[in-house]
Amino acid sequence: MLINEMKKINIKKKKILIRLDLNVPIQNNKITSYARIKASLPTIKLALKNKSKIMILSHLGRPIENKFDKKYSLFPIFKYLKKKIKNTKIHFLKNIYDQIKINYGEIIIFENVRFNLGEKENNTKLAKKYASLCDIFVMDAFGTAHRMEASTYGVGMFAKISCAGPLLMSEIKSLKKSIKKPKRPLITILGGSKISTKFNVLKKLAKISDTTIVGGGIANTFLAIKNNIGKSLYEKNFVKLAKKLLEKYNIIIPIDSRTLNVHDKKNTYLMKDSNLISDNEEIMDIGDQSIKKIIKIIKKAKTIIWNGPVGVFESKKFRLGTEKISYAIANNKNSFSLAGGGDTLAVIEMFNIKKKISYISTGGGAFLEFIEGKKLPSIQMLQKKYIKN
């Protein structure tokens, strides 16, 4: 893959426009997970080391375009970066069309790009405006690499020089390592609520994996092939497709579950075999026997691809399955573990296992699409803009 890399081109005293993924969860004006910001810091510091004029673009959430909404503002992220990056002037600019004043070795953080008219449709005028700000455009937001938008694709096509940041390069190399020539056994753990959003990647991973473990609503759809699953979340239209996958590949589904009776106001859970779920029960987590079975598989793995929790981990009562599996992955010192997706990042932070995971991808949709084998627009753009040194 021939693309320009930020680390390998001259960025000294240049105007650098960096597209980062600072799409972090914010509640009551406070950041609740710093994972994506921390992952972006080395890129910012590399530009600072070269005394560049640094301008940063990012999105946050899904606001209505051309309409300011405080809950989607990047201002809390700006405040955090001001505390985190010492001895550096950091400015915040609300409007991309305002006059820009910045010195070398300083940073401007622009307001949420998704407030800008034309961002999501990759508007040419907006893309050209972004490009006019810089000598070099750095694409370092893997989490949005699958979107053809003005700040991820269009700007790169119009910029004089476009290159990949170190985080994006790291993502690509780690993903390739886990799916091209993985050490075996290769196991995949795929959780989440909807099989419809992950079916194609599930099919691809099941094909290349020695064992595929499913959890959450995805597992419920598999359980529904032969079992009553009561009030549990599943997708009826995907049961037949799930059956075909189960017949063809080595897919592990829960043999027991923690369930909740929907009429029980005390929220008392019951441990039930997967074939004994009653009409008024809802599956909330995998059961103890399932946990033991899955941990045995994880301990033997040499490569682990992990995306999504296996239960309702937000609730203390129903996070045991996700917790035990998380620690099993973290404690397997003989494996290369690759984790990705928003909920997965939250789980990693919750159980404080970041240092024990070989590589943590900041991407969600991009992570899954790359594994599925789709061509990501931003990477295609960088390939088109490659300049041989």
Side-chain angles (χ1 to χ4, degrees):
M1 186 184 292
L2 295 174
I3 58 180
N4 299 314
E5 294 184 43
M6 183 185 182
K7 286 182 176 180
K8 296 180 181 179
I9 62 174
N10 179 22
I11 63 169
K12 197 168 185 69
K13 289 206 166 181
K14 303 286 186 183
K15 290 184 288 182
I16 310 288
L17 182 67
I18 309 174
R19 177 54 160 100
L20 297 176
D21 183 5
L22 305 177
N23 183 31
V24 296
I26 297 177
Q27 292 179 0
N28 300 320
N29 216 32
K30 289 184 179 180
I31 300 166
T32 57
S33 171
Y34 298 93
R36 284 179 171 151
I37 304 175
K38 288 176 180 177
S40 298
L41 284 174
T43 307
I44 298 170
K45 289 176 180 177
L46 177 60
L48 283 173
K49 187 180 177 181
N50 283 274
K51 296 183 171 25
S52 306
K53 290 183 179 180
I54 304 158
M55 293 161 281
I56 294 172
L57 299 174
S58 180
H59 78 285
L60 180 67
R62 297 180 180 180
I64 298 170
E65 205 168 88
N66 204 30
K67 184 179 179 181
F68 176 78
D69 187 336
K70 188 179 177 182
K71 73 177 180 180
Y72 295 115
S73 174
L74 288 182
F75 194 73
I77 295 161
F78 157 71
K79 287 199 296 183
Y80 174 76
L81 286 172
K82 278 193 81 171
K83 290 179 184 176
K84 201 73 181 172
I85 303 171
K86 305 292 184 184
N87 305 315
T88 302
K89 275 193 175 182
I90 305 181
H91 313 272
F92 186 74
L93 204 63
K94 290 183 178 180
N95 193 328
I96 194 77
Y97 294 101
D98 284 348
Q99 188 176 358
I100 295 168
K101 293 179 181 179
I102 183 174
N103 298 315
Y104 291 107
E106 294 182 359
I107 300 170
I108 286 180
I109 297 170
F110 291 103
E111 183 56 282
N112 191 343
V113 292
R114 288 190 178 166
F115 290 155
N116 299 332
L117 186 64
E119 165 62 23
K120 293 189 82 173
E121 67 180 33
N122 189 28
N123 177 270
T124 300
K125 180 185 173 184
L126 181 60
K128 284 183 174 179
K129 173 60 184 175
Y130 291 145
S132 71
L133 301 174
C134 65
D135 301 313
I136 299 166
F137 171 66
V138 179
M139 177 58 185
D140 209 30
F142 178 74
T144 60
H146 61 311
R147 304 200 182 278
M148 189 180 281
E149 298 177 346
S151 70
T152 61
Y153 182 89
V155 56
M157 293 302 296
F158 292 114
K160 298 167 195 170
I161 298 171
S162 296
C163 63
L167 181 57
L168 181 63
M169 288 306 302
S170 184
E171 296 268 9
I172 293 168
K173 288 173 184 175
S174 295
L175 284 164
K176 278 188 173 181
K177 181 179 177 180
S178 61
I179 61 175
K180 295 292 182 185
K181 289 183 179 179
K183 288 184 178 180
R184 295 190 178 273
L186 161 62
I187 73 160
T188 294
I189 300 160
L190 201 62
S193 57
K194 291 185 176 182
I195 194 172
S196 56
T197 59
K198 295 183 181 180
F199 184 79
N200 289 333
V201 75
L202 172 60
K203 189 176 178 180
K204 169 71 182 286
L205 287 170
K207 188 177 180 180
I208 66 170
S209 301
D210 297 291
T211 305
T212 301
I213 297 159
V214 290
I218 295 173
N220 295 345
T221 302
F222 279 94
L223 288 171
I225 296 167
K226 291 183 178 179
N227 304 290
N228 174 32
I229 57 165
K231 303 293 183 182
S232 307
L233 175 68
Y234 83 112
E235 290 178 278
K236 188 177 180 180
N237 293 341
F238 278 82
V239 173
K240 285 184 179 179
L241 290 170
K243 185 175 185 288
K244 287 180 181 179
L245 287 187
L246 194 61
E247 289 169 351
K248 193 172 183 180
Y249 302 112
N250 184 26
I251 298 173
I252 304 297
I253 61 176
I255 53 176
D256 62 343
S257 306
R258 280 177 172 75
T259 68
L260 190 67
N261 190 307
V262 293
H263 299 308
D264 181 6
K265 293 180 181 179
K266 293 181 180 179
N267 288 331
T268 306
Y269 77 80
L270 293 171
M271 193 83 70
K272 301 288 287 283
D273 287 349
S274 295
N275 61 342
L276 298 176
I277 309 296
S278 65
D279 290 343
N280 292 322
E281 287 178 321
E282 183 178 2
I283 298 169
M284 305 296 282
D285 192 11
I286 61 174
D288 290 347
Q289 295 307 310
S290 298
I291 292 170
K292 286 177 184 177
K293 184 178 180 180
I294 292 167
I295 288 174
K296 280 183 182 179
I297 296 167
I298 292 170
K299 283 181 176 178
K300 294 177 183 176
K302 290 290 187 289
T303 304
I304 302 167
I305 299 174
W306 173 29
N307 175 262
V310 296
V312 186
F313 76 100
E314 296 90 346
S315 168
K316 286 183 179 180
K317 286 185 178 180
F318 304 112
R319 71 173 56 144
L320 188 65
T322 300
E323 181 180 5
K324 293 288 187 181
I325 288 171
S326 301
Y327 286 132
I329 296 167
N331 293 328
N332 183 341
K333 295 177 182 178
N334 298 315
S335 71
F336 175 82
S337 52
L338 173 68
D343 282 343
T344 318
L345 295 180
V347 168
I348 288 166
E349 282 199 315
M350 179 180 285
F351 301 127
N352 195 27
I353 56 171
K354 181 181 177 181
K355 291 179 180 178
K356 292 185 176 183
I357 304 297
S358 306
Y359 192 82
I360 299 169
S361 172
T362 56
F367 172 86
L368 295 174
E369 287 191 19
F370 189 97
I371 289 174
E372 191 183 328
K374 287 185 178 179
K375 291 181 178 179
L376 307 187
S378 291
I379 294 174
Q380 287 183 300
M381 173 273 293
L382 290 168
Q383 289 175 307
K384 288 175 187 175
K385 294 286 288 189
Y386 175 71
I387 301 168
K388 189 174 181 180
N389 294 321

